Amino acid sequence: DRYARPRLIQLGLGILALASLCLLWAPNLELALALRLVQGVALALAIPAGLAVITAQAVAGERGHALGVYAPVRMLGFGGGALVAGYVYESAGFTPGILLAAAFMAAGAFMGRYVPDTPIRSTHRQATAAMPAALKHSLLTLACAQAVASGSMSAVVALEPSFHDLLGLGPVVFGGGLTAAVFGRALIQIPVGRWSDRLRQRQQFIVLGLVALAPTTVGHAYAANPLAFWLVRAAQGAATAGIMAP
């Protein structure tokens, strides 16, 4: 709120690219984890700034639709990156995959210069005074809901060895599962964003999304083949759309 948002987007993506390149020379797990932490901090600079630009530019009655378009596109990159990285790793190895990822991040940092700027509050006191207590409580509740949604999506990643043993999923097929989750979310999130704007029932959409998230997450335990795994991942992604867009 106090600094130019396009610059934060450029800075975050630039740091992300550099930290990714440094992974090539990480001599041990500890340094690799530290670099992953730096990547997370870099994303924390870029993503909120991008969301702030979207909400500032969108008309009040169209913000759900705007976020419904923005978030799936960002997640398509996230899911598509996993699929491409799995293919590059199997065909060319670790180093080309990291170089390709860093190149995309650097391109994103360059494109950040074309992001339109938005009015910035002059002081931190004004920014704090503009946020009433009810809004702070709503943000806390929404943050918890999104943490549950994101956690359910990422928890499957930690179980990759188990899925490999049970279903024989290689990096490409397993990465395709994340792509399926993102595709399911992208398919549903845009209409959900529009409906939440028109019906003004955002709380109900969030609750329905959380309810649907439970069986779609449990369904991973019963996937009998790679196709079933992809379908369950897509259903889980669709459930998160009910939480993220509103």
Side-chain angles (χ1 to χ4, degrees):
D1 291 325
R2 288 184 284 174
Y3 302 100
R5 291 160 183 155
R7 292 180 182 176
L8 287 177
I9 294 173
Q10 288 183 278
L11 179 63
L13 293 177
I15 295 174
L16 191 64
L18 289 175
S20 299
L21 283 177
C22 289
L23 284 170
L24 293 174
W25 295 282
N28 51 53
L29 178 61
E30 289 75 14
L31 183 56
L33 290 176
L35 288 170
R36 292 292 281 169
L37 179 63
V38 172
Q39 287 180 314
V41 172
L43 286 174
L45 291 174
I47 293 178
L51 287 171
V53 169
I54 294 295
T55 54
Q57 295 285 333
V59 180
E62 294 292 331
R63 284 176 183 162
H65 174 56
L67 292 173
V69 173
Y70 166 79
V73 171
R74 177 167 59 86
M75 290 301 294
L76 280 174
F78 185 70
L83 185 63
V84 172
Y87 174 77
V88 173
Y89 175 74
E90 284 196 336
S91 59
F94 176 75
T95 299
I98 291 293
L99 292 175
L100 181 64
F104 275 108
M105 295 166 194
F110 176 78
M111 293 170 64
R113 64 187 298 180
Y114 299 107
V115 174
D117 207 348
T118 51
I120 300 171
R121 299 186 185 276
S122 58
T123 65
H124 179 65
R125 180 176 299 176
Q126 289 177 341
T128 304
M131 184 181 293
L135 179 56
K136 292 181 179 179
H137 295 158
S138 297
L139 287 175
L140 178 60
T141 304
L142 290 172
C144 291
Q146 293 206 10
V148 170
S150 301
S152 66
M153 294 281 286
S154 61
V156 178
V157 177
L159 300 175
E160 180 179 1
S162 298
F163 283 109
H164 177 74
D165 295 338
L166 293 172
L167 303 178
L169 302 184
V172 175
V173 178
F174 189 82
L178 180 58
T179 303
V182 171
F183 179 78
R185 175 175 167 180
L187 192 66
I188 300 297
Q189 188 155 324
I190 294 177
V192 166
R194 287 179 177 172
W195 296 336
S196 67
D197 284 331
R198 294 176 183 176
L199 301 177
R200 299 192 180 277
Q201 300 292 327
R202 295 184 175 94
Q203 291 177 334
Q204 285 80 349
F205 278 108
I206 294 172
V207 171
L208 287 174
L210 288 168
V211 170
L213 196 60
T216 54
T217 302
V218 173
H220 288 78
Y222 299 96
N225 52 62
L227 178 59
F229 176 76
W230 281 17
L231 291 174
V232 172
R233 287 294 271 167
Q236 188 186 43
T240 63
I243 304 167
M244 299 299 188

